[in-house]
C-alpha cells in the first residue's frame, strides 16, 4: 500500500489489480529535496526489471533529468501538494508532476544568454511529447520519454 517518509513524502504503489507499472509519490514542498524525487525514479526504474527488460540507459538518464527539472519547477513556482507519477508502457516512460498552483508555466523563447529558467526547454528536448494541463486545484505537466 503506501508509506510515509521522513521527508514528508507519501508513496503509493499501484493498488491490487491495477497496472503494476505505475507508481506515485506525494511530497510537501517545504520538506522536498530534489534528490528524493530522483531516488524515487531510480527505485521505480529498477523495480520494472521484474516486469520487463531493463529500461535502456539513455531513457533512464532522460527520466532522471526530466524528474529533476519538473520537480525543481514545482518546488520553486508551485504549491502543495506536489505529486510525482511514473508509468511505463512498452515504448515509453511517462513522468507526470502535479502541484497545487493553478499558474501555468509561460513558454519562453530560447535564449542561450539567459541564465536559468530553461527547465521546460530541457524537458521538451528529451521527450516525445510534453503536455501542460490546468486542473481545478492546480496543474499537471506530463512528459513522455521514448525507450528507443
Amino acid at each position: 500500500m503506501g508509506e510515509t517518509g521522513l521527508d514528508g513524502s507519501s508513496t503509493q504503489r499501484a493498488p491490487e489489480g491495477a497496472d503494476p507499472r505505475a507508481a506515485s509519490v506525494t511530497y510537501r514542498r517545504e520538506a522536498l529535496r530534489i534528490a528524493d524525487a530522483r531516488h524515487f525514479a531510480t527505485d521505480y526504474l529498477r523495480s520494472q526489471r521484474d516486469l520487463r527488460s531493463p529500461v535502456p540507459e539513455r531513457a533512464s538518464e532522460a527520466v532522471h533529468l526530466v524528474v529533476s527539472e519538473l520537480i525543481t519547477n514545482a518546488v520553486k513556482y508551485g504549491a502543495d501538494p506536489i505529486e510525482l507519477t511514473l508509468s511505463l508502457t512498452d515504448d515509453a516512460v511517462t513522468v507526470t508532476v502535479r502541484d497545487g498552483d493553478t499558474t501555468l508555466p509561460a513558454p519562453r523563447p530560447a535564449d542561450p544568454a539567459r541564465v536559468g529558467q530553461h527547465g521546460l526547454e530541457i524537458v521538451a528536448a528529451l521527450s516525445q511529447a510534453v503536455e501542460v494541463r490546468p486542473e481545478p486545484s492546480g496543474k499537471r505537466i506530463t512528459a513522455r520519454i521514448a525507450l528507443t
Side-chain angles (χ1 to χ4, degrees):
M1 199 84 141
E3 30 183 278
T4 301
L6 295 175
D7 60 1
S9 64
S10 173
T11 304
Q12 300 295 319
R13 297 288 174 187
E16 186 102 14
D19 185 354
R21 298 182 294 180
S24 67
V25 60
T26 302
Y27 298 102
R28 289 179 320 181
R29 194 168 160 236
E30 69 277 359
L32 174 58
R33 296 176 308 148
I34 308 310
D36 297 332
R38 284 193 302 265
H39 291 306
F40 178 78
T42 297
D43 292 345
Y44 172 78
L45 293 172
R46 283 186 186 145
S47 74
Q48 298 309 300
R49 290 182 186 158
D50 296 338
L51 302 173
R52 57 170 283 130
S53 59
V55 172
E57 184 70 20
R58 185 210 56 79
S60 179
E61 290 172 0
V63 167
H64 284 93
L65 188 50
V66 166
V67 165
S68 291
E69 293 296 336
L70 293 180
I71 291 291
T72 296
N73 285 350
V75 169
K76 286 173 98 172
Y77 308 113
D80 281 331
I82 296 172
E83 178 186 36
L84 168 63
T85 302
L86 301 171
S87 62
L88 180 67
T89 63
D90 290 336
D91 63 345
V93 177
T94 301
V95 177
T96 301
V97 173
R98 189 211 160 279
D99 76 76
D101 189 317
T102 57
T103 306
L104 299 179
R108 298 179 64 146
D111 180 359
R114 183 176 67 238
V115 177
Q117 298 185 346
H118 294 279
L120 284 178
E121 290 174 60
I122 293 168
V123 170
L126 293 170
S127 304
Q128 286 179 321
V130 177
E131 179 183 33
V132 177
R133 296 182 65 192
E135 297 186 334
S137 62
K139 65 184 162 294
R140 180 180 305 267
I141 302 175
T142 302
R144 182 177 164 84
I145 300 155
L147 294 180
T148 57

